[in-house]
Amino acid sequence: MGNITVKIWAVLLAGLGLVIFAHKLFDIGLPLSPDQDTEVWTVQARIAFDGGGGPAKLGFHIPATTPGLSKIDEDFISSRFGLAVDKEGDNRKVEWAVRRAQGQQTLYYRISVTKTDTQVGWPSTPRFPNVPDYEEPYASAIKATIEDVRSESADVQSYVRELLEQLNSVQPNENIELIRGRAQNQTQWLGEIINILKGVRIPARVLWGIVLSDAANNANLQALLQVHNGKRWLTFDPINGRVGVPENFLSWRVGNEPLFVVEGGGPVDVVFSVSKNYRELIDIARKNAESSNSLLAGFSLLSLPLQSQNVYRLLIMVPIGALIVVFFRTFIGIKTFGTFMPILIALAFRETQLLWGIVLFVMIVSLGLMLRFYLERMRLLLVPRLTSILVIVVILMVIISIITNELGVDRALSVALFPVVILAMTIERMSITWEENGAREAMMQGLGSLIVACVGFLVMNNESLMYLMFVFPELLFIVLALSLLMGRYTGYRLFELHRFRAMVTDKDKTS
């Protein structure tokens, strides 16, 4: 297989990894570091009413579409009540029901939201309203106002903004003053605006929501104006005419239907409270992905049981360690005992920590190597010899543990966490290299293995890198692509350049 094929595969693998990485980073919102928090608002509605002693039902509107905010959690607290949630147009409604309600009944609805860049809108398309039969003298005032606004607007949005500007003018004309006199509060004022818009057949309605603050115990529903421009619903502040849903505004319901309807009960008291706290961004992103039915969310390591997650947090770093070994062997020219032995030693250093790991490793290998030379004189077969080395390694570990325990050096007890088989194979291979290539070559390979293991330990224990690899395991595609490209390298290694330096110097002299 040629270089071009390998490069094509490397590009495809790296591209696949980057595409998935970008999707999870920008679309799902998974953070790049583990310590990122984000603001979360919890809004609670406390609904209390007096039961009449018989069956009771209470219908209550709850948020359905929340532009600029993403729903994280939603709880319904109602001990004896049955519960049903229905979608009605652009609204959602919960209905609590109980066979017998005696005395005061208290129900709770709680929703947690956070900011999001995902844009959502209300899907409904209304019919064009009929023109009302306005009574005089209001009919003349409304007609004159409509004509004034129409001459200074180009589309639905500019028409509504101009209308709101004239209706809220500091120096209104006599027509506006007459219209203002019909409204005694904000709800009636919005009704008047909607009634005027019917005169030009623009569908309009009220959007109710809560302004999210750091803390509020008696929050009120605020009313905004919505008009439909034939394509989508546009939201306006009825006071200043500003277009769009305000920041930190939790949309609760639309239309003029009452917030609640009770049957079989007395007066209803609803109290809204708001509080703000902070949560880990990764937890929020994971819940957003689950709520959006993202396919990649189901294949995430975060969906595994915690016990399995802990296993993969370590396992997914092994390819990084292998890539480090490939780099040192291919580009630097450091020789090691095998490909994976430095990685396993680096993993053992996780338990012993680096300094004590180096000390214990050198101690066991040195003692084992001396005993291995003595076994050579016995001329044993290969398998019994390896078994003997294995037993010797275990005995050395036991002795070291007992002695260090008596001396009070607790850290040295972690020698039991070293991979015994790897230590035995290291001793065996170092012994063979010593016999075949001399002591210097054996020491160089042993030192090289230890250096690569130390670098592997530092990289594989980097908290930020561990987090990235665990949350974005598709980065393994990039690791695989790099491994393929390294595998086609045929140039000089760094140490070879140093070794052949004399040849280059002689060539320069002769020329």
Side-chain angles (χ1 to χ4, degrees), residues 59-293:
F60 184 75
H61 281 96
I62 57 177
T65 303
T66 56
L69 298 169
S70 175
K71 181 177 68 177
I72 302 173
D73 294 317
E74 188 176 47
D75 299 306
F76 302 88
I77 304 172
S78 51
S79 58
R80 298 182 301 106
F81 285 74
L83 177 72
V85 178
D86 298 312
K87 188 90 186 315
E88 299 178 353
D90 287 340
N91 286 320
R92 283 173 76 220
K93 196 171 184 180
V94 57
E95 184 176 274
W96 283 288
V98 67
R99 176 65 63 183
R100 182 178 295 276
Q102 182 68 44
Q104 187 179 57
Q105 310 294 318
T106 305
L107 308 169
Y108 292 91
Y109 169 75
R110 187 178 300 158
I111 183 172
S112 297
V113 296
T114 186
K115 291 182 180 178
T116 180
D117 295 329
T118 304
Q119 298 297 324
V120 295
W122 292 266
S124 67
T125 302
R127 295 180 178 177
F128 292 107
N130 296 322
V131 178
D133 293 327
Y134 301 116
E135 298 179 356
E136 291 294 351
Y138 303 105
S140 300
I142 292 174
K143 185 178 179 181
T145 303
I146 287 175
E147 292 300 325
D148 289 344
V149 173
R150 178 177 292 157
S151 62
E152 299 178 7
S153 61
D155 53 14
V156 172
Q157 179 173 327
S158 59
Y159 184 92
V160 176
R161 291 193 67 173
E162 180 61 26
L163 175 64
L164 292 175
E165 185 175 339
Q166 291 198 17
L167 291 177
N168 294 290
S169 173
V170 178
Q171 296 179 341
N173 56 35
E174 56 185 9
N175 294 325
I176 300 299
E177 286 185 344
L178 183 63
I179 296 173
R180 285 184 180 180
R182 288 165 59 94
Q184 304 301 319
N185 52 47
Q186 187 182 10
T187 303
Q188 294 180 0
W189 179 235
L190 270 172
E192 286 300 321
I193 296 174
I194 294 173
N195 198 38
I196 295 173
L197 290 172
K198 287 180 181 177
V200 287
R201 305 200 66 188
I202 295 178
R205 65 184 183 185
V206 181
L207 167 65
W208 299 90
I210 293 178
V211 178
L212 301 177
S213 58
D214 291 351
N217 288 329
N218 288 292
N220 295 318
L221 291 176
Q222 306 290 327
L224 299 178
L225 174 67
Q226 281 197 322
V227 299
H228 200 274
N229 64 354
K231 297 179 181 177
R232 60 190 177 91
W233 287 100
L234 303 175
T235 304
F236 296 84
D237 189 314
I239 305 301
N240 54 32
R242 187 176 295 127
V243 184
V245 178
E247 188 178 9
N248 299 344
F249 184 86
L250 175 61
S251 303
W252 200 272
R253 65 186 175 95
V254 293
N256 292 322
E257 288 188 21
L259 177 63
F260 53 83
V261 175
V262 63
E263 297 179 14
V268 179
D269 180 37
V270 179
V271 177
F272 291 99
S273 57
V274 181
S275 65
K276 185 176 77 171
N277 51 42
Y278 294 86
R279 290 191 192 178
E280 289 187 359
L281 189 57
I282 186 172
D283 185 43
I284 293 172
R286 182 169 57 84
K287 291 189 175 182
N288 286 339
E290 291 174 356
S291 60
S292 63
N293 296 321

Side-chain angles (χ1 to χ4, degrees), residues 30 35 130 183 195 245 268 288 300 307 366 401 420 429 434 482:
L30 291 175
D35 300 327
N130 296 322
N195 198 38
V245 178
V268 179
N288 286 339
S300 171
Q307 188 175 6
S366 300
S401 296
V420 178
R429 294 196 61 171
W434 193 303
L482 292 174

Side-chain angles (χ1 to χ4, degrees), residues 313-368:
R313 285 181 195 278
L314 176 62
L315 187 61
I316 206 165
M317 295 303 294
V318 172
I320 301 295
L323 193 68
I324 291 171
V325 176
V326 173
F327 175 79
F328 273 93
R329 289 173 65 106
T330 305
F331 295 100
I332 306 298
I334 293 180
K335 296 180 180 179
T336 62
F337 290 123
T339 303
F340 302 112
M341 192 272 283
I343 304 172
L344 297 174
I345 294 175
L347 291 176
F349 285 170
R350 286 169 54 91
E351 305 297 335
T352 62
Q353 297 306 307
L354 187 59
L355 181 60
W356 274 105
I358 294 174
V359 171
L360 295 172
F361 177 79
V362 172
M363 185 184 300
I364 293 176
V365 171
S366 300
L367 293 174

